[in-house]
Amino acid sequence: MTGRTAYINARLIDPASGTDAPGGVLIEGNKILNWGPGLFNGGAPEDARIVDCQEYCLAPGLIDMRVHLPEPGGEHKESFESASAAAAAGGVTSIVCLPDADTPIDNISVLEFIARRARETNIVKIYAYGTITRNREGGELSEFGILSEAGALAFTDGDRALADALVMRRALSYAATFDLLIVQHPEEPRLARNGQMNEGEMATRLGLAGIPACAEVMMIERDLRLVELTGARYHAAHVSTAAAIDAIRQAKSRGLPVTCDTAPHYFTLNDSSVMDYRTFTKVSPPLRDEADRLAVIEGVRDGTIDVIASDHRPQDQDSKRLPFLQAETGIVGLETLLPLTLALHHDENIPLIDLVGRMTSAPARLLGMKEGRLEAGRPADFTIFDPDRKWTVRADMLQSKSKNTPFDDHPVKGMAMCTVVGGRHVHSLID
Amino acid sequence: MAETVPTENLQPPRRHILGMEGVPKEEIESLLDLSESYIEQNRQDDKKSSILRGRTLINVFFENSTRTRTSFELAGKRLGADVINMSVSSSAIKKGETLIDTAMTLNAMHPDVLTVRHGDSGAVQLLSEKVTCSVLNAGDGSHEHPTQALLDALTIRRRKHSLEGLTVAICGDITHSRVARSNIYLLNTMGAHVRLVAPKTLLPAAIDKFGVEIHHRMEDGICDADIIMMLRLQTERMQGSYVPSTREYFRFFGLDRKKLAVAKPDALIMHPGPMNRGIEIDSELADDIHRSVIHEQVEMGVAVRMACLDIVTRNLSRNTNGSGA
């Protein structure tokens, strides 16, 4: 054997090159050797192992750019192993860890810890952000240069908004020095203070303090002024409101280096799902109203929303089986990212290649990753999926240690059939 | 006496009373009818009956309360139940035991009814999902306080004979008020016309979708009203956060004789208590026996809670018999 594998009989979907055609991929070791429509028309190389893709889609491996991985300290909620298994099952080949309260990634040792645990686990690729400010306190800047050399792909304070305009200005200016990306949790924290869910009729009915939708856009509008001032690359995380998407759409049309992402729950659910105090629907930012949900879909359709990421945030029973006010925020999303996103193809007629791009080439481009496209010499990371396979999400069947999904019993369409990371099959239903 | 009151309207039999949202008119009517019978019992020298003999009622209060807890305690005792009061201070909760742990622990003691007050919206419902007994909501966060709405309805019905067609002005901190929410649901169901009067800081989002008329001037809101319900303004919300000062609040939203003059001449004044005299209501007006029914509300409270205990335990027996058959 030469260590070559031929993936034949696939529907190739490579958003970076605009390819959606029958074809195949030849890999050697952990790299792509050749690929393309009609690649094996003359037959696959005789010395290669053959994997028949059965006409399923073969796309670059999904990159989930927003994952909370609560190690160290929160292993009972999720470990590197369980998160990796969840990713593999969901067709995700690379995850990017967010800093949070347990793990403020503000020094090299934390990045090295993540890199070591990723090597030990060795299932999917695990990357990380660095924090914008030390201990995510919103005051002093982290060492962007050193952290970036140590592997931090971009900088964010996770689910904490950088509220101080002067600190944000300096963070953007300093990041621009190294051409680094700043990722903001766009929510005006003083306006959102004590808020438990989206402000509106449901919040009033439930007697829960609301967060007005404008808390999102006002932070983005402020930041856009600072982007104009500094020229830095800026990314608004998990946008959820029509107003925020409009603001970003306009900024893009003015040529500002601005991008954003959203998570599947923001285009799948609205705030009526919170009814009966379902704490599995408690997320930050909160689920918005129906008009906002529809605006998120339009943002994905027209490209204003560059990336779809799961915002995977595992929480155990003890963090969720509480009165709504006391419950933690978060939804596990690694295993539902692909099918919930594909619903936008099935139900909303968004082209498949566009949706795949939001989870592959787009995050790779923003974060400067070598993954995310099919090309000779690139890592042999891909996801083979059946876009039409029907199944039902079962919380207790999830690979994640935590089962906090509001999509239990939710019928979906689209399944990862084989997840290939560096040439290894880390999940497979086809061979 | 109580046995003569028809309860066939309570279908399906309700195990818990958690809120007034969605409770049909017939069910409210029959609860009020049953309450009437207990008013008489409470006015006798011998106030005690034995309908709940052998039953255990636990009052679980995660939030301080004197009057509501006492009212439930008396209601239980007058029906012959064994009543235990449990105050769970928030500091004890912070030591680790979760609400669900507390619920399971209490449930293991085989109470028949828990009356629960909690500072968090939805907490009483959450607790009710984990126990096998009946649960009466004695107030959860800013969500609901169903027995308060029922006792208000009983008070109004006795004075005005019917709730239908009455104009009821609810004035004050609507945003944080569970009393307001329960009353809005109940009064709308019963065909009353509900007005809310408050500064915009104390009105929650989308409240106009609740079938109410919104006013920001007291004089407009209580004009020709039959009933004026004043709400308590929490101390921590008086000084600068939601309203600039207590004197400014009283000036514009407190009920005094001058403002009252625009209401109907026989308009009744209500307050769930405890009152902030001179803040939401003029002290002398609160004591005016011709206008204020505040003490009557307290009396009705015991009767209404007896009716609620009676109904849910009847349903308990029915369910138990059903499952045993």
Side-chain angles (χ1 to χ4, degrees):
Chain A
M1 293 291 280
T2 57
R4 291 186 185 190
T5 306
Y7 293 85
I8 63 163
N9 197 21
R11 174 182 168 189
L12 297 174
I13 298 185
D14 180 51
S17 60
T19 306
D20 182 349
V25 181
L26 181 66
I27 69 166
E28 180 163 28
N30 59 10
K31 292 257 173 19
I32 296 173
L33 203 59
N34 201 355
W35 77 287
L39 174 64
F40 302 121
N41 281 358
E46 285 181 7
D47 57 352
R49 175 184 162 221
I50 306 289
V51 175
D52 181 357
C53 297
Q54 303 168 34
E55 296 179 9
Y56 295 139
C57 298
L58 186 156
L62 306 186
I63 298 168
D64 189 344
M65 71 177 276
R66 293 192 62 81
V67 173
H68 288 268
L69 212 174
E71 239 197 87
E75 289 87 347
H76 56 293
K77 294 183 179 178
E78 195 85 288
S79 64
F80 275 65
E81 285 79 8
S82 64
S84 298
V92 174
T93 57
S94 292
I95 63 181
V96 191
C97 296
L98 292 156
D100 56 27
D102 295 327
T103 332
I105 313 172
D106 61 356
N107 60 72
I108 298 181
S109 58
V110 182
L111 280 172
E112 285 177 345
F113 169 82
I114 292 170
R116 175 172 66 74
R117 291 288 291 120
R119 277 196 308 277
E120 285 168 7
T121 309
N122 196 26
I123 299 172
V124 299
K125 295 178 179 172
I126 299 176
Y127 295 98
Y129 292 90
T131 60
I132 303 174
T133 61
R134 287 177 203 266
N135 202 29
R136 308 192 310 146
E137 281 167 3
E140 299 164 31
L141 297 184
S142 303
E143 297 164 314
F144 291 178
I146 290 173
L147 290 172
S148 143
E149 279 184 350
L153 297 183
F155 293 84
T156 181
D157 279 352
D159 63 356
R160 202 176 276 178
L162 185 47
D164 187 313
L166 181 58
V167 177
M168 186 49 130
R169 182 206 174 159
R170 289 185 181 143
L172 288 165
S173 281
Y174 192 68
T177 314
F178 299 96
D179 193 30
L180 298 171
L181 180 70
I182 293 290
V183 178
Q184 169 76 302
H185 173 75
E187 179 169 85
E188 167 49 52
R190 283 165 297 251
L191 185 60
R193 188 170 51 206
N194 302 330
Q196 300 299 311
M197 66 173 292
N198 188 45
E199 184 171 290
E201 188 178 349
M202 184 55 72
T204 295
R205 199 167 284 284
L206 294 174
L208 294 171
I211 299 171
C214 69
E216 184 169 271
V217 70
M218 60 199 289
M219 186 57 99
I220 289 175
E221 283 176 338
R222 182 205 74 174
D223 287 346
L224 290 175
R225 300 286 170 185
L226 298 174
V227 169
E228 236 162 341
L229 194 64
T230 59
R233 293 199 293 132
Y234 171 85
H235 180 86
H238 44 217
V239 294
S240 60
T241 62
I245 294 163
D246 272 344
I248 291 165
R249 189 177 284 128
Q250 284 170 29
K252 285 183 165 188
S253 71
R254 295 210 314 272
L256 289 181
V258 173
T259 53
C260 67
D261 70 81
T262 194
H265 38 269
Y266 297 115
F267 55 70
T268 312
L269 303 175
N270 61 33
D271 61 358
S272 66
S273 306
V274 184
M275 193 157 71
D276 284 331
Y277 303 94
R278 293 180 65 210
T279 57
F280 282 1
T281 64
K282 186 173 178 180
V283 280
S284 172
L287 298 176
R288 306 291 186 181
D289 67 18
E290 181 61 6
D292 284 324
R293 185 185 77 87
L294 296 174
V296 172
I297 294 173
E298 291 317 303
V300 173
R301 192 193 307 278
D302 75 6
T304 303
I305 296 176
D306 302 83
V307 173
I308 299 170
S310 75
D311 238 350
H312 181 80
R313 179 157 211 163
Q315 297 290 1
D316 60 359
Q317 292 261 10
D318 291 346
S319 311
K320 286 287 193 182
R321 283 193 353 166
L322 293 167
F324 203 87
L325 178 84
Q326 298 170 28
E328 298 280 353
T329 59
I331 286 176
V332 284
L334 279 166
E335 290 162 82
T336 47
L337 171 66
L338 177 66
L340 293 176
T341 300
L342 290 181
L344 296 184
H345 172 61
H346 298 304
D347 305 337
E348 305 290 341
N349 294 316
I350 299 180
L352 196 56
I353 191 169
D354 290 357
L355 295 171
V356 171
R358 306 284 193 276
M359 299 182 285
T360 56
S361 53
R365 177 172 46 82
L366 291 183
L367 300 173
M369 300 166 73
K370 57 191 182 302
E371 294 86 354
R373 64 180 302 171
L374 300 178
E375 194 174 57
R378 298 268 176 182
D381 292 4
F382 27 85
T383 304
I384 299 164
F385 65 94
D386 177 356
D388 300 313
R389 177 71 59 104
K390 289 181 181 170
W391 60 290
T392 301
V393 179
R394 302 268 181 235
D396 55 1
M397 299 293 281
L398 295 177
Q399 299 290 319
S400 275
K401 272 193 193 177
S402 294
K403 314 297 180 192
N404 52 306
T405 176
F407 299 109
D408 191 20
D409 279 333
H410 190 85
V412 291
K413 230 163 112 180
M415 180 183 266
M417 305 305 291
C418 183
T419 308
V420 184
V421 179
R424 290 176 301 124
H425 292 194
V426 295
H427 158 80
S428 182
L429 304 174
I430 59 170
D431 67 341
Chain B
M1 182 166 57
E3 284 72 22
T4 61
V5 175
T7 56
E8 60 268 26
N9 286 327
L10 300 178
Q11 293 296 337
R14 202 175 282 276
R15 180 151 68 95
H16 309 305
I17 297 178
L18 300 176
M20 282 295 121
E21 186 181 3
V23 178
K25 185 174 182 178
E26 300 70 34
E27 194 171 335
I28 292 167
E29 291 281 9
S30 76
L31 266 169
L32 296 180
D33 292 344
L34 185 56
S35 306
E36 291 275 3
S37 69
Y38 286 121
I39 297 169
E40 281 313 307
Q41 181 179 329
N42 289 335
R43 288 177 179 172
Q44 306 299 315
D45 289 344
D46 180 0
K47 299 177 177 59
K48 197 145 172 164
S49 65
S50 57
I51 290 175
L52 261 60
R53 195 175 60 196
R55 297 287 196 185
T56 306
L57 163 66
I58 308 183
N59 291 322
V60 193
F61 279 64
F62 293 88
E63 203 182 62
N64 289 333
S65 154
T66 309
R67 68 180 62 210
T68 306
R69 205 202 60 205
T70 308
S71 183
F72 271 111
E73 184 175 357
L74 276 176
K77 286 184 169 164
R78 286 183 182 166
L79 293 174
D82 295 315
V83 184
I84 307 290
N85 289 316
M86 210 181 122
S87 291
V88 194
S89 71
S90 51
S91 65
I93 294 299
K94 284 188 181 122
K95 280 178 189 159
E97 190 173 61
T98 66
L99 179 66
I100 288 176
D101 288 335
T102 308
M104 305 291 241
T105 305
L106 290 170
N107 194 51
M109 298 177 197
H110 295 293
D112 298 287
V113 185
L114 297 176
T115 67
V116 185
R117 168 167 290 191
H118 197 289
D120 291 347
S121 302
V124 179
Q125 182 185 321
L126 178 65
L127 187 144
S128 76
E129 288 162 6
K130 308 294 169 187
V131 296
T132 49
C133 61
S134 287
V135 174
L136 299 184
N137 183 359
D140 65 318
S142 306
H143 178 223
E144 285 234 40
H145 191 356
T147 57
Q148 179 70 43
L150 286 166
L151 75 87
D152 288 342
L154 183 62
T155 309
I156 297 169
R157 201 178 74 164
R158 283 171 65 85
R159 289 293 193 119
K160 303 284 183 190
H161 308 296
S162 165
L163 289 116
E164 185 143 12
L166 294 181
T167 297
V168 183
I170 306 177
C171 312
D173 182 358
I174 311 291
T175 296
H176 302 95
S177 177
R178 51 197 175 212
V179 175
R181 283 176 181 72
S182 289
N183 264 310
I184 291 168
Y185 296 132
L186 181 146
L187 290 167
N188 271 326
T189 303
M190 301 307 284
H193 182 70
V194 183
R195 294 181 188 163
L196 304 179
V197 188
K200 289 191 172 186
T201 46
L202 296 176
L203 283 167
I207 191 68
D208 54 308
K209 296 191 176 136
F210 286 66
V212 293
E213 201 181 290
I214 313 283
H215 292 276
H216 307 298
R217 278 186 77 236
M218 194 85 176
E219 292 78 356
D220 299 339
I222 65 177
C223 183
D224 294 325
D226 298 284
I227 308 289
I228 302 165
M229 283 187 183
M230 302 305 298
L231 297 173
R232 178 179 164 78
L233 184 64
Q234 298 286 338
T235 325
E236 63 271 23
R237 300 186 179 119
M238 293 174 193
Q239 305 295 342
S241 55
Y242 288 85
V243 293
S245 67
T246 50
R247 67 178 185 185
E248 174 149 330
Y249 186 76
F250 186 68
R251 164 91 174 72
F252 292 95
F253 297 97
L255 186 64
D256 57 21
R257 283 212 185 273
K258 185 161 165 282
K259 294 190 190 105
L260 182 62
V262 301
K264 284 200 178 144
D266 59 348
L268 301 177
I269 300 168
M270 305 178 76
H271 193 295
M275 279 182 284
N276 294 303
R277 288 171 183 268
I279 293 170
E280 66 251 359
I281 187 162
D282 177 74
S283 191
E284 181 219 344
L285 207 50
D287 295 329
D288 180 348
I289 53 163
H290 301 293
R291 307 306 294 270
S292 161
V293 291
I294 294 170
H295 295 295
E296 209 169 309
Q297 287 173 272
V298 178
E299 183 190 357
M300 296 307 128
V302 180
V304 154
R305 284 161 185 136
M306 289 167 83
C308 290
L309 288 169
D310 182 359
I311 285 294
V312 294
T313 49
R314 281 190 218 186
N315 293 340
L316 268 186
S317 318
R318 202 178 309 181
N319 291 343
T320 312
N321 296 341
S323 66

